[in-house]
Amino acid sequence: MNEENKSIHEFDLELICEYFANLKRQGPGSPEVTIKALSFIDNLDDKSRIADIGCGSGGQTMVLAQHAPGNITGVDIFPTFIDLFNRNAEKLGLQDRVKGIVESMDNLPFQDEELDLIWSEGAIYNIGFERGLHEWRKFLKTGGYIAVSEGTWFTEERPAEIEEFWMSVYPEIDTISNKVAQMQKAGYIPVSTFILPENCWTEIYFAPKVEADKRFLEKNAGNKAAEEFIANQQHEARLYNTYKEYYGYAFYIGKKI
Ligand SMILES: C[S@@+](CC[C@H](N)C(=O)[O-])C[C@H]1O[C@@H](n2cnc3c(N)ncnc32)[C@H](O)[C@@H]1O
């Protein structure tokens, strides 16, 4: 495999955690996008149960909590992120209705039909879009919603370099129409889909990484794995700048029927 196209899963997990813990968001997104996706959800009240899966340190969860009623459980596999998540909830006075737990998205601790809303920004790829939609569906009440953002092709065809990159890191990337069809097949009414604006990647995700990369390399000077990890992150940013007309993230919002 081309070294530059290594998937994030192939790096030392502690290093990845240390790096991403210093960032507000661990993936592309923005408060405006979270609020826009939430505007399609019409079933929530104070008793609602919401799960944010692959929540990271909770950048988007706190926005969700400030704009939606109900109780939110953030789920992430990394304890470092969940510690930060719970501290962030406390800082914002949200700790009574926003709690982070350490668990894997393929072993969620919810009861059947317990949830009114499943949220997941830039994280369902860890289990796979189709598998996640199928496996998580049972946790939703009938009429409950799922809202996920996911890597998406914007065109039918694209240059070989970007095609090869995605095929090696996440071959399940697909076009909006194919993803919507998958959502429908998995038992949801596709309610809405929209493409995340470019600033979710450039301003919110990549820009803070420039300083984070510098600090991380200083702290881990001489560590080959750390250097390789940062080179890989920077490669991803360069690819985005070159090929952003061809791919990005889209939000997919569906209602369980
Ligand atoms: C790209 S980040 C997105 C984080 C956050 N939702 C955001 O948008 O800023 C993906 C998240 O999925 C989490 N993750 C990876 N594998 C997981 C698993 N098996 N179960 C739960 N979370 C997982 C990672 O720890 C990370 O926080």
Side-chain angles (χ1 to χ4, degrees), residues 192-257:
S192 181
T193 176
F194 64 90
I195 289 173
L196 274 64
E198 206 178 304
N199 79 315
C200 293
W201 292 77
T202 50
E203 269 169 51
I204 295 175
Y205 187 52
F206 292 137
K209 277 163 143 255
V210 174
E211 188 50 37
D213 289 1
K214 220 174 99 206
R215 269 187 282 137
F216 184 78
L217 286 177
E218 278 164 13
K219 189 167 171 238
N220 294 286
N223 179 335
K224 277 265 163 293
E227 284 167 12
E228 207 189 306
F229 172 68
I230 295 299
N232 179 274
Q233 292 294 302
Q234 293 176 346
H235 175 59
E236 242 184 77
R238 274 193 302 274
L239 285 177
Y240 182 76
N241 278 323
T242 312
Y243 297 113
K244 59 191 169 200
E245 296 120 83
Y246 299 96
Y247 75 98
Y249 270 10
F251 238 108
Y252 297 89
I253 297 135
K255 186 173 185 173
K256 178 176 169 180
I257 44 171

Side-chain angles (χ1 to χ4, degrees), residues 9 17 20 24-29 52-61 75-78 81 103-106 108 120-127 149 205 249:
H9 299 286
C17 248
F20 279 107
K24 259 202 196 140
R25 290 290 303 248
Q26 287 79 40
D52 183 0
I53 302 175
C55 57
S57 58
Q60 71 297 323
T61 327
V75 182
D76 204 281
I77 198 157
F78 287 124
F81 290 157
E103 194 48 87
S104 182
M105 59 177 74
D106 56 12
L108 292 172
S120 184
E121 292 197 36
I124 195 171
Y125 72 89
N126 287 291
I127 191 170
S149 64
Y205 187 52
Y249 270 10

Side-chain angles (χ1 to χ4, degrees), residues 39-247:
S39 73
F40 297 101
I41 316 276
D42 58 8
N43 65 333
L44 301 177
D45 61 30
D46 289 341
K47 293 209 167 60
S48 296
R49 304 264 306 118
I50 301 168
D52 183 0
I53 302 175
C55 57
S57 58
Q60 71 297 323
T61 327
M62 304 306 147
V63 175
L64 196 59
Q66 286 164 329
H67 291 85
N71 286 282
I72 308 182
T73 305
V75 182
D76 204 281
I77 198 157
F78 287 124
T80 313
F81 290 157
I82 292 300
D83 284 347
L84 282 167
F85 179 105
N86 285 324
R87 264 187 271 155
N88 286 337
E90 204 149 316
K91 263 192 227 151
L92 295 167
L94 294 166
Q95 69 279 4
D96 292 341
R97 57 188 199 92
V98 179
K99 292 224 160 43
I101 58 166
V102 178
E103 194 48 87
S104 182
M105 59 177 74
D106 56 12
N107 185 35
L108 292 172
F110 303 110
Q111 310 284 321
D112 286 4
E113 315 230 328
E114 177 183 341
L115 300 173
D116 299 279
L117 171 61
I118 292 178
W119 202 267
S120 184
E121 292 197 36
I124 195 171
Y125 72 89
N126 287 291
I127 191 170
F129 184 77
E130 281 198 277
R131 182 177 163 201
L133 290 183
H134 276 103
E135 286 189 12
W136 300 347
R137 187 178 178 277
K138 63 176 176 291
F139 302 122
L140 279 177
K141 294 174 186 157
T142 301
Y145 285 86
I146 189 160
V148 301
S149 64
E150 160 83 341
T152 298
W153 291 130
F154 298 158
T155 55
E156 274 303 313
E157 288 177 13
R158 42 265 152 188
E161 187 182 24
I162 196 62
E163 176 92 30
E164 274 164 29
F165 171 78
W166 276 96
M167 286 309 114
S168 64
V169 298
Y170 185 54
E172 228 187 286
I173 184 171
D174 213 331
T175 54
I176 292 182
S177 47
N178 287 343
K179 295 256 173 214
V180 167
Q182 288 163 5
M183 180 169 250
Q184 184 128 44
K185 261 200 206 123
Y188 303 88
I189 299 172
V191 169
S192 181
T193 176
F194 64 90
I195 289 173
L196 274 64
E198 206 178 304
N199 79 315
C200 293
W201 292 77
T202 50
E203 269 169 51
I204 295 175
Y205 187 52
F206 292 137
K209 277 163 143 255
V210 174
E211 188 50 37
D213 289 1
K214 220 174 99 206
R215 269 187 282 137
F216 184 78
L217 286 177
E218 278 164 13
K219 189 167 171 238
N220 294 286
N223 179 335
K224 277 265 163 293
E227 284 167 12
E228 207 189 306
F229 172 68
I230 295 299
N232 179 274
Q233 292 294 302
Q234 293 176 346
H235 175 59
E236 242 184 77
R238 274 193 302 274
L239 285 177
Y240 182 76
N241 278 323
T242 312
Y243 297 113
K244 59 191 169 200
E245 296 120 83
Y246 299 96
Y247 75 98

Side-chain angles (χ1 to χ4, degrees), residues 29-38 63 194 197 199-200 204:
S30 74
E32 291 75 20
V33 158
T34 299
I35 293 165
K36 180 170 176 177
L38 187 60
V63 175
F194 64 90
N199 79 315
C200 293
I204 295 175

